[in-house]
Amino acid sequence: MMDKAFITTGDGCRIAWRFDGPEGAPILLLSNSLGTDMGMWAPQMEQWAHRFRVLRYDQRGHGASDAPAGAYSIDRLGRDVIELLDALDIATVDFCGLSLGGMVGQWLGIREPHRLRRLVLANTSSFMGPPDAWDARIALVRRQGMAPLARASVERWFTQAFAQSGRHAIAPIAAMLQATDPQGYAGCCAAIRDMDMRRTVALIQIPTLVIGATHDPATPPTHSNALATAIAGSRLAMLKAAHLANVEQPIAFGACVADFLADS
């Protein structure tokens, strides 16, 4: 285990990262969702760090990473991953990303497949329109900060039943959202707004697992089905959860990913 360290990308953005798990184990790279940081993977760390050398990082604009001004792009977020791997002298990894992290994973699978062994795309989509909804969210966060988004986002991320029974698990996620830099959040919203990989995602040829959730209002089952259909030979797993399935169904999510990565 180690504290967070940093690399600096070619455009001067510091990206926070850390390793957990035994040296020499297969490397599993995790990519966080919009409004969280690498701490979102805490429910899986005990399980995964026994089997993998887990590499986590904070998306640009999130956590301890820098939050540059202006709109970001999926291309830029994907390049952040490649620059991280290059800086750490890592040739290939298994990759698991949720929501925004899964969008970055799609970009990597399309543009940099030689850097990936296997790919897990969880609670994500190739397109999340309409653009004006993202423009409205960007305008809101720039005017009023993260507070107006916090409650509404958490309500969409978890089922009503889990909101009552899983408050201990939800509290750190809500804290991450509140602590997110509004400028960084807005920058990543612009990346999602401008993203459309519905046609190019069919270019992914590496082994892929798509994880969806039955009660996910942000990236509903139809989005997960569309991804699995577009990516030839991919597997689809549906969990009974809302958007942050790894938090709501930690054991099932962790086992699903571990079993897929172990299946050679």
Side-chain angles (χ1 to χ4, degrees), residues 216-231:
D216 186 348
T219 53
T222 52
H223 291 218
S224 302
N225 285 323
L227 265 179
T229 299
I231 302 172

Side-chain angles (χ1 to χ4, degrees), residues 189-203:
C189 284
I192 299 172
R193 176 196 65 195
D194 299 338
M195 171 201 72
D196 189 348
M197 296 183 283
R198 286 175 291 184
R199 297 183 68 179
T200 53
V201 75
L203 298 172

Side-chain angles (χ1 to χ4, degrees), residues 135-151 177-183 185-186:
D135 287 335
R137 190 183 300 195
I138 291 168
L140 177 63
V141 76
R142 285 179 174 165
R143 286 195 316 269
Q144 301 182 37
M146 296 301 298
L149 293 170
R151 180 173 180 179
L177 183 59
Q178 290 275 17
T180 301
D181 189 309
Q183 183 167 271
Y185 184 91

Side-chain angles (χ1 to χ4, degrees), residues 1-144:
M1 187 176 293
M2 62 176 290
D3 293 329
K4 291 183 181 180
F6 297 87
I7 63 114
T8 301
T9 63
D11 67 341
C13 181
R14 288 203 326 159
I15 300 295
W17 62 274
R18 66 174 287 166
F19 271 126
D20 294 275
E23 294 186 22
I27 297 174
L28 171 58
L29 174 58
L30 305 178
S31 187
N32 61 284
S33 63
L34 179 68
T36 68
D37 59 36
M38 66 175 75
M40 70 164 284
W41 300 106
Q44 282 72 50
M45 288 307 300
E46 183 176 357
Q47 178 184 7
W48 289 349
H50 284 299
R51 302 177 62 174
F52 305 103
R53 180 72 163 162
V54 180
L55 174 58
R56 289 181 285 172
Y57 76 103
D58 290 334
Q59 295 271 13
R60 173 182 297 243
H62 291 71
S65 293
D66 287 347
Y72 309 160
S73 67
I74 291 296
D75 183 78
R76 179 62 261 178
L77 299 180
R79 293 305 309 171
D80 289 346
V81 173
I82 297 303
E83 293 194 48
L84 173 63
L85 295 180
D86 287 347
L88 299 179
D89 196 25
I90 298 171
T92 60
V93 295
D94 291 320
F95 183 97
C96 176
L98 189 147
S99 194
L100 175 60
M103 298 167 197
V104 173
Q106 292 172 64
W107 185 93
L108 292 168
I110 295 163
R111 301 290 297 275
E112 300 281 347
H114 59 287
R115 306 303 295 267
L116 305 180
R117 191 183 74 96
R118 291 193 168 220
L119 176 63
V120 180
L121 306 173
N123 302 92
T124 192
S125 180
S126 297
F127 176 76
M128 288 190 70
D132 58 357
W134 291 104
D135 287 335
R137 190 183 300 195
I138 291 168
L140 177 63
V141 76
R142 285 179 174 165
R143 286 195 316 269
Q144 301 182 37

